[in-house]
């Protein structure tokens, strides 16, 4: 039994802070931020917008896209590092708001890798037949954790939520099981009948939000799936040629490097009335950058080797949107593998690093021997080169939306996934790899058939 994504949704606060606004708050500029991060703007929650309300907006949009009711959800998970309260959990608040009365609810904290870890968890439950329909949400209000006087971190983060409905489908991909996720693939709000406030309360349009709309800004929130893709949605395929579902994952954590990205809880007596910078997001940017550019290609390659996946057949690599330069670095490292070029260098480096103790990596990097292979080895390693594609075509395999959202931590992957979905770029049977990294430090990659 495999879980298949059959609906997506997202919700972004209506308030947008561009780089010029930040330049009035800290010593920075639009050019400096764009050059180092690729970010042009980010969405910031204000007023009544909360982590819960953003999660609710994304959840409702995903349910509408899937064409199912909230009562059909039997597992509801929220990945977040920025809950509005320690308890009740964000997931229980969402359950109450959307009416998912039959769902078991809990939150998960794996920072920016949170959505991938939550998706893996849902797949484990589904594969064992414990649950059949899961609603997975990544939701963050990072603006509450950001020191707006620290230019090294405040330029990076934004608020938002993304969600996916995952439903059980057996490996034979029988159409009847797939059809259970909605027979008409009605993923669209019509713009008149489905207004939602960003606090999760259904009602007429009152200036507070539009959830599940076409992505245009109305009122105070953008929460959107436009639904125009119709048959491209992964629900409602009864009687159609349904491709087999598949899911595989690899994850790792390196607690020894945890100090590279931290945020200490203020819920301690010693912080009463004290303005302590350690209670805001703290990051060693250089260490995180190096970690991401090294570990994400390695874990994708590990996944491909473990599951015998030809990376050339993967349509999209949906990466955590932390920094455009990180995405560029990952993309560059994976290019030989994806395009079937000489692959010996990346494989040799990956296999050696896999067997090396984590705390030796940096020291050995400085005296790394030549890992190039001789001609015989290279000839043995090189697969038949695929039809050349342009640089633009290759880059399109790594979609990016960080320009407009900033780093939304656990929400970044589902927000990007929903964007691809609502733009009609995902077709039934497409092969995807989702990959992320974040505080912990943790990282992972998941392979799925859409």
């Amino acid at each position: 039994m495999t879980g298949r994504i059959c609906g997506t949704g997202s919700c972004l606060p209506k308030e947008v802070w561009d780089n010029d606004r930040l330049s009035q708050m800290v010593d920075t500029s639009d050019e400096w931020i764009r050059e180092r991060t690729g970010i042009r703007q980010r969405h910031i929650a204000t007023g009544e917008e909360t982590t819960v309300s953003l999660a609710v907006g994304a959840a409702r949009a995903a349910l509408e896209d899937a064409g199912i009711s909230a009562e059909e959800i039997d597992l509801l998970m929220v990945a977040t590092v920025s809950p509005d309260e320690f308890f009740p959990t964000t997931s229980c608040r969402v359950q109450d708001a959307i009416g998912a009365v039959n769902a078991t609810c809990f939150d998960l904290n794996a920072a920016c890798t949170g959505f991938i870890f939550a998706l893996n968890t849902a797949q484990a439950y589904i594969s064992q037949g414990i649950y059949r329909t899961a609603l997975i949400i990544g939701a963050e209000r990072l603006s509450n954790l950001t020191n707006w006087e620290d230019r090294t971190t405040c330029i990076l983060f934004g608020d938002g939520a993304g969600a996916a409905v995952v439903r059980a489908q057996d490996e034979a991909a029988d159409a009847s099981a797939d059809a259970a996720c909605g027979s008409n693939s009605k993923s669209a709000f019509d713009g008149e009948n489905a207004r939602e406030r960003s606090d999760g309360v259904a009602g007429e349009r009152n200036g507070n939000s539009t959830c599940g709309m076409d992505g245009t800004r109305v009122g105070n929130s953008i929460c959107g799936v436009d639904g125009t893709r119709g048959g491209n949605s992964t629900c409602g395929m009864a009687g159609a040629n349904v491709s087999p579902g598949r899911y595989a994952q690899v994850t790792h954590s390196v607690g020894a490097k945890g100090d590279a990205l931290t945020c200490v809880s203020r819920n301690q007596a010693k912080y009463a009335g004290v303005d302590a910078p350690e209670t805001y997001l703290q990051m060693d940017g250089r260490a995180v950058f190096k970690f991401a550019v090294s570990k994400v290609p390695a874990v994708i390659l590990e996944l491909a080797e473990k599951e015998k996946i030809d990376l050339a057949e993967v349509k999209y690599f949906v990466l955590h949107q932390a920094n455009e330069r990180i995405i560029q670095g990952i993309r560059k490292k994976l290019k030989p593998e994806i395009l079937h070029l000489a692959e010996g260098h990346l494989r040799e480096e990956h296999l050696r690093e896999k067997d090396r103790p984590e705390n030796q990596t940096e020291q050995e990097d400085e005296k790394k021997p030549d890992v190039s292979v001789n001609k015989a080895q290279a000839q043995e390693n090189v697969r038949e080169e695929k039809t050349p594609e342009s640089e633009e075509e290759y880059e399109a395999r790594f979609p990016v939306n960080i320009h407009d959202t900033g780093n939304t931590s656990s929400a970044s992957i589902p927000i990007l996934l929903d964007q691809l979905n609502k733009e009609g770029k995902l077709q039934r049977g497409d092969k995807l790899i989702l990959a992320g990294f974040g505080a912990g430090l943790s990282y992972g990659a998941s392979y799925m058939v859409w």
Side-chain angles (χ1 to χ4, degrees):
M1 192 76 71
T2 301
R4 202 79 173 257
I5 292 180
C6 63
T8 63
S10 59
C11 189
L12 296 171
K14 76 102 178 185
E15 181 99 58
V16 175
W17 289 11
D18 62 17
N19 294 337
D20 289 332
R21 174 159 183 168
L22 293 189
S23 69
Q24 299 171 16
M25 301 165 61
V26 293
D27 181 17
T28 190
S29 68
D30 176 58
E31 181 182 9
W32 191 89
I33 296 172
R34 288 192 191 214
E35 180 183 338
R36 287 161 178 78
T37 70
I39 299 170
R40 295 190 295 252
Q41 62 180 36
R42 69 285 299 149
H43 296 255
I44 303 296
T46 60
E48 295 182 354
E49 292 173 326
T50 64
T51 301
V52 169
S53 71
L54 296 172
V56 167
R60 285 192 161 135
L63 290 172
E64 181 72 11
D65 187 41
I68 67 172
S69 68
E71 289 84 356
E72 296 176 66
I73 300 296
D74 49 18
L75 175 64
L76 198 165
M77 282 184 287
V78 175
T80 184
V81 298
S82 55
D84 303 318
E85 52 196 340
F86 289 117
F87 49 84
T89 62
T90 303
S91 55
C92 284
R93 293 296 194 192
V94 173
Q95 180 204 42
D96 181 44
I98 67 174
V101 293
N102 297 310
T104 295
C105 307
F106 62 90
D107 290 0
L108 185 152
N109 181 349
C112 301
T113 328
F115 183 80
I116 288 178
F117 279 40
L119 184 58
N120 293 345
T121 303
Q123 293 285 355
Y125 278 121
I126 289 172
S127 70
Q128 294 300 308
I130 299 172
Y131 301 113
R132 289 194 58 84
T133 307
L135 175 60
I136 306 167
I137 306 168
E140 304 287 5
R141 190 180 179 184
L142 297 176
S143 55
N144 277 352
L145 305 178
T146 301
N147 182 351
W148 295 103
E149 296 179 356
D150 177 10
R151 78 165 187 163
T152 65
T153 57
C154 75
I155 64 172
L156 298 172
F157 300 104
D159 301 332
V165 175
V166 181
R167 199 148 205 186
Q169 179 187 45
D170 64 28
E171 283 76 358
D174 61 285
S176 61
D178 196 53
C181 207
S183 59
N184 296 319
S185 190
K186 288 185 65 178
S187 60
F189 284 122
D190 63 11
E192 296 297 330
N193 300 327
R195 308 295 185 185
E196 309 286 351
R197 284 189 8 210
S198 66
D199 60 3
V201 182
E204 298 300 319
R205 185 169 64 190
N206 57 7
N208 285 337
S209 74
T210 59
C211 301
M213 303 298 292
D214 62 2
T216 55
R217 184 157 68 244
V218 182
N220 292 339
S221 288
I222 311 166
C223 307
V225 181
D226 68 4
T228 55
R229 58 194 170 279
N232 294 343
S233 173
T234 58
C235 305
M237 301 289 288
N241 243 337
V242 182
S243 60
R246 186 181 173 191
Y247 188 86
Q249 59 85 24
V250 173
T251 55
H252 297 287
S253 296
V254 188
K257 293 183 178 290
D259 287 343
L261 186 52
T262 63
C263 184
V264 175
S265 171
R266 289 192 64 90
N267 191 37
Q268 302 176 58
K270 65 180 179 179
Y271 290 122
V274 176
D275 185 17
E278 65 268 27
T279 62
Y280 296 103
L281 287 163
Q282 303 286 306
M283 184 172 66
D284 181 343
R286 187 181 299 274
V288 172
F289 185 95
K290 184 176 181 180
F291 180 87
V293 173
S294 168
K295 296 301 185 183
V296 173
V299 78
I300 290 175
L301 183 56
E302 181 183 353
L303 176 64
E305 289 176 341
K306 174 186 171 186
E307 299 294 329
K308 309 303 180 188
I309 298 165
D310 183 355
L311 295 181
E313 297 178 356
V314 176
K315 183 175 183 179
Y316 292 119
F317 295 80
V318 184
L319 306 183
H320 167 49
Q321 304 289 294
N323 184 309
E324 189 173 32
R325 290 170 67 183
I326 290 177
I327 297 170
Q328 290 169 349
I330 294 168
R331 188 173 67 213
K332 181 179 179 180
K333 273 201 167 186
L334 287 173
K335 189 172 184 178
E337 287 294 323
I338 296 172
L339 300 186
H340 289 186
L341 305 177
E343 59 186 344
H345 180 89
L346 183 58
R347 283 193 182 278
E348 290 271 327
E349 186 175 14
H350 160 64
L351 293 173
R352 190 184 60 184
E353 185 166 304
K354 190 167 64 172
D355 296 329
R356 182 170 55 196
E358 188 63 42
N359 59 6
Q360 293 182 20
T361 301
E362 292 184 8
Q363 296 92 316
E364 291 193 13
D365 276 346
E366 297 173 0
K367 50 184 179 182
K368 183 184 297 182
D370 183 11
V371 295
S372 59
V373 292
N374 60 37
K375 289 184 179 179
Q377 288 173 311
Q379 189 65 35
E380 201 173 274
N381 283 335
V382 175
R383 297 162 292 180
E384 182 180 350
E385 187 171 337
K386 69 183 292 293
T387 303
E389 58 187 57
S390 68
E391 188 65 25
E392 184 178 351
E393 289 173 324
Y394 175 66
E395 289 182 4
R397 291 173 178 257
F398 295 80
V400 175
N401 69 355
I402 191 174
H403 313 108
D404 300 318
T405 64
N407 179 348
T408 56
S409 189
S410 66
S412 77
I413 288 177
I415 289 173
L416 179 55
L417 201 59
D418 180 51
Q419 179 179 323
L420 293 171
N421 197 13
K422 75 180 182 183
E423 290 175 356
K425 294 180 178 179
L426 297 177
Q427 306 292 328
R428 193 67 163 171
D430 283 346
K431 298 172 183 177
L432 310 177
I433 285 182
L434 316 184
F437 61 93
L441 295 174
S442 293
Y443 60 107
S446 298
Y447 171 83
M448 68 174 65
V449 177
W450 188 255

